[in-house]
Amino acid sequence: MIEVVWEILVKQKGQGKLELVYGPGGAWSKLIGKSPGFRGTTVLHDTHNGQRYLIIDLWDTELQQEQALSEHAEGYARLNTDLENWTESRLELGVFRVRAEATVRPHGNPSRRSRGTSR
């Protein structure tokens, strides 16, 4: 699987619009959502810079992503034109593949022993 990561800076008037476009049932999911290999989109909003978003698309393969964008080129171009009206900048940060995942354990009692047992 691959993840395509975009950084988007929105104009003040565009903050809610970006979430509508890339959120559930938005224009992006209507355009690309049924494409083979598409697994979904994550929208991240910067907690320190309200104009900054990261958009992460998950695909089975880069080839499937390229094919979907090619098949939907006209709709993709319209969407890009709409985005230009209320974004400051859009930058594809890259195409990434997960190499390792960390396991996070909850804080608390480090003991794995059950109550009532002793060693």
Side-chain angles (χ1 to χ4, degrees), residues 3-117:
E3 297 187 30
V4 182
V5 182
W6 288 83
E7 177 188 60
I8 301 177
L9 298 178
V10 297
K11 296 176 183 174
Q12 197 88 24
K13 66 180 181 178
Q15 288 180 326
K17 292 179 182 179
L18 185 100
E19 293 175 31
L20 289 174
V21 167
Y22 287 103
W28 178 245
S29 65
K30 288 178 182 172
L31 178 67
I32 232 68
K34 294 185 180 179
S35 297
F38 180 69
R39 299 295 175 196
T41 297
T42 300
V43 178
L44 302 176
H45 189 216
D46 191 318
T47 60
H48 298 288
N49 178 352
Q51 291 181 273
R52 183 174 182 234
Y53 288 84
L54 292 181
I55 307 298
I56 304 168
D57 290 323
L58 184 63
W59 293 87
D60 286 338
T61 68
E62 196 167 359
L63 179 61
Q64 288 174 313
Q65 183 234 8
E66 292 167 358
Q67 289 172 336
L69 294 180
S70 177
E71 288 172 17
H72 300 285
E74 188 177 306
Y76 187 57
R78 276 194 309 273
L79 183 59
N80 282 331
T81 299
D82 289 344
L83 288 171
E84 287 174 4
N85 292 326
W86 40 270
T87 58
E88 295 285 338
S89 67
R90 293 182 26 225
L91 174 65
E92 183 178 337
L93 298 179
V95 177
F96 299 86
R97 186 175 316 282
V98 174
R99 301 298 289 182
E101 292 187 31
T103 300
V104 178
R105 301 202 190 284
H107 295 288
N109 185 353
S111 172
R112 292 184 175 258
R113 288 186 281 162
S114 300
R115 287 186 186 172
T117 62

